[in-house]
Amino acid sequence: MANAQQGRSSGHGNTQDEVNLEIDDSQALRQLEEGTSPPILVLSRDANLVETVKKAAPRGVSVAFAPDLDHVAEKLSNLKPGVLVADTASTADVASMVAQLTQHFPELVVVVAGKREDSSALMQLTAAGRIFRFLLTPLSHGQTRLALEAAVKQHLDLSAAGQRLSTAGASGEGGSKNYVMTYGALAAGLLVVIGGIWFGVSRFTGEPEVPPVVNVPVAPGAQQPGGVPERPDPVKAELALAKDAFDQNKFIEPQGESALDLYRSALALDPTSQAAKDGIRSVVDKILERAEAALLAERLEEAIRTIETARDIDSTHPRLAFLDTQVARERERLKLSQAQEVGNRVRSLVNSANDRMANGRLLTPTNGSAKDALLEARRLDPTDPTVLSTIREFSAQLTEEARKALASGNVEAATAYVQGARQMGSAGSALAAVERSLVEATRTAGPGAGPNTAAGSTAQSASARRPATNAPAAGAGPNVDAMVADVRTRLTEGKLIDPPGDSARDLLANLRTTAPNRPEVDELSRTLSQRLLDSGRQAMNAKAYERSAQLIAAAKDVGQRFNGAAISQAEADLTAARDANSQQTNVVSAASLKRVRMVSPAYPDAARKRGIEGWVELAFTVQTNGTVDQVEVRNASPADVFDDAAIRAVRQWRFEPVERNGERIEQRAMVRLKFSQQASQN
C-alpha cells in the first residue's frame, strides 16, 4: 500500500486531505466471483474458436460473438465488453485495430488468437504492451481458460484503477485542479521524501543503502498508469503454470494443461528460453524413470511404449541409448526364456505323438491324435530336428496304413491316411504308389459297385470326396471349389500358418492331396509362399527372429519351386540379421578386452575450478582392426560436464582385435570413467 498526504492552504484556513492510493483487489475479485463483470466479445468467423471461448470463459461471464469489425463497433457501444478475443483470420491488421480500440476504450483488454506462424509478431505486440496475451490456434481449452481468467481480472483491475483516478482528481481544490496535476504533485513529493530519507541514512550511517523500490503512481501519459498492475510476462506465466503442473505430476496429461504442453507453449513464445528447454528435459527424465521402473518389473511392452514416448519428445536425450540397450537385453532374456519353454513344450508334444503312434491313434480322436500333436510341435518350432524326424516316421506309418487299408478294400480309410500323410508334407515314392493304386481302385469300384459291398460303399464315399483326377467334370465338384474358397479366405484373413489345422497352409495341403491337378493349387501355393516370405521379412525387421524363421521355413515348404531364390536370400538375410543383433546386444566390459593403448581423459578446466566431480558411462565398438568407433554416452553424472573429455579419450584407445571361430569380429563394449580431482592431482 502507498499512502500520500497533500497539504493545501486557502483563504479560509489550512485543511489537510488524504488521497488513498492503495491497490485493493477485493472489489475486482468480488465482481469476478459474483459474475457481474462485463462480457467477453469474440471477433472471429471460426465456430470452433467461438465455442472454445464460451466453454473456457470464467463462471458468470457471458460471451458475445462478432464476425467482423463492423459488428464489433456496434457491440462495443451496446455491450461494453471488458475483454476482446480477436482472431487474426478476421482482421487484416491486428496492430492498427488494437491501437484504435484501446485509444477509445482504454479499459478494454485484448487477447489475440493467431496461427503458429503469427507467434513472432504477436509476441512483439505482447512485449510492447499493445495486447494483453495471445493464444495459438486451434485453441486449447486449458490455456484459453487461464488466459480469459487473467484477462477478466486485468479488466477489473483497470476499471478499479480508473475509478480511483477519477476520485483523486475530483478531490482537488474547488474542483479546479484535475487528477493529472494531483498525481504529478504526489509523485514528485513522494520521490523527494524517499530520496531525502535514503540520503540521510547513507550519510549518517556510512553504509551505502539501496533506495527501496516503491510503486509510485504517475500521471497519465507516462509508461505505467498509477495503481494499475503491470502486464504479466506471458513466457513467465506459462513457465509458472508448467511448474505447477509438473509438481502435480501432470507430465504429459491432460492435453493442453500438462507440464509438457505448457513448457512447449512457453518455448513457442520464446524459442531461446532455457527454462522451457530445461523443463521439457525434466519431463522426459520423469517419463524415462517410468520406463526404468517398467523394465525392472519385467513389463517390457510398457517400457518400450514409454521409451518411444520420451523419444518423440526429445530424441537427443542421453539416457535413451542406455535404455535401448537394456530393452535389447531384456528381449534376449525373454527370448531365451520363451525358447526354453517352447523347447520343453515341443519335447512333450513329440513324446505324446510317439505314444499315440504306438497305440494306433494316428488321425483320431480330434485333438488327441498323433497328427494333432505333431502339427502343434511343427508350429512351435518348424526347424527342430526331432520334430522333423518324427514327422517323417509318422508319414511313413500313415503310408503303410493306407497300403494295408487299400489291400483290404477299405478305400475310405486309405484315402484318409493318404490325406494325413500329404498334410504332414510327405511326398515320397511309396505314398505316390499308394495314391495311384487308390485312384485305380476308385475307378474299378465306380458307380456299378453294390452299396452293400465294402469296396462299393467305400469307393462311393471316396469318390464323393476325391474324384478321379482324369475326370474333368468330377474334378470341378463343389467340394473342391469350397476347399479352394477356404484357402483364399484364410489368405485374406492373414491366417497363414495359424491356427493349426485351419490355416491357409494346412487347407492348401488338403487341397493338394484331394485335387493335385487343379490349376488353383499352383496359384495358391505361389501366393501363399510369397505372403509367408513377406511376413517372415517383416518379423525379421522387428527382430522377432524365431517367428521369422518359422515363416520362412513355411514359405520354403509351400513354394520352394516357385520362390526358391527369394527364399534362399531370406534365409541368408535372417542369419546375418541374427549375427548383427547378437553383436549389437552382446555388450561386454572393456576390462574383459585386451587394451594395447590407453589415453587418460583431460579434466575439464571449468569443472576443476568449480570443484565438480563425476563419471561418464560410455559404449563403443572395437572394430576388426582394434580401433574404436561408434562411441556414445549411455549415462553421466552430472550430465554434459565430462562427456566430451571422455569421448575424446576413448576414441584414442586401441585393443587387440576380437576373434570368434577364428575370424575377427566387431565387439561392443562399455566402460565407466570417473573424474576425481584427487585422482587427477595424483
Side-chain angles (χ1 to χ4, degrees), residues 333-462:
R333 188 191 67 78
L334 289 177
K335 286 177 183 177
L336 290 174
S337 176
Q338 292 171 357
Q340 185 176 4
E341 293 178 2
V342 168
N344 294 336
R345 175 62 176 159
V346 167
R347 284 191 291 273
S348 175
L349 288 169
V350 170
N351 292 334
S352 297
N354 287 324
D355 291 341
R356 294 169 184 177
M357 288 163 59
N359 295 325
R361 295 160 57 188
L362 303 180
L363 303 177
T364 57
T366 303
N367 297 327
S369 66
K371 183 189 78 171
D372 295 329
L374 288 175
L375 285 175
E376 176 64 11
R378 184 170 67 181
R379 184 189 70 82
L380 291 173
D381 189 354
T383 63
D384 188 287
T386 305
V387 174
L388 297 178
S389 63
T390 306
I391 287 177
R392 285 193 294 269
E393 294 174 5
F394 178 62
S395 298
Q397 186 172 349
L398 287 176
T399 301
E400 179 62 20
E401 292 297 326
R403 188 190 63 76
K404 292 179 181 179
L406 189 59
S408 64
N410 192 344
V411 178
E412 184 175 3
T415 301
Y417 287 131
V418 168
Q419 289 179 348
R422 282 294 183 185
Q423 188 174 0
M424 302 307 297
S426 177
S429 58
L431 180 62
V434 173
E435 284 183 313
R436 287 193 296 271
S437 300
L438 182 61
V439 171
E440 185 62 29
T442 304
R443 287 179 184 173
T444 302
N452 296 327
T453 64
S457 61
T458 55
Q460 289 177 359
S461 176

Side-chain angles (χ1 to χ4, degrees), residues 143 238 241-242 245 256-267:
Q143 295 183 17
E238 292 296 296
L241 292 173
E257 300 180 31
S258 66
L260 176 62
D261 290 334
L262 292 167
Y263 278 128
R264 281 175 168 171
S265 177
L267 195 61

Side-chain angles (χ1 to χ4, degrees), residues 282-304:
S282 65
V283 170
V284 178
D285 289 337
K286 289 295 183 181
I287 296 174
L288 292 179
E289 286 179 9
R290 295 177 177 177
E292 289 184 277
L295 275 175
L296 291 174
E298 299 184 359
R299 299 192 302 271
L300 183 59
E301 183 178 354
E302 177 186 340
I304 293 174

Side-chain angles (χ1 to χ4, degrees), residues 198-223:
W198 172 77
F199 179 79
V201 171
S202 61
R203 176 70 177 273
F204 294 105
T205 63
E207 298 178 358
E209 292 289 329
V210 179
V213 178
V214 180
N215 291 328
V216 181
V218 296
Q223 292 183 354

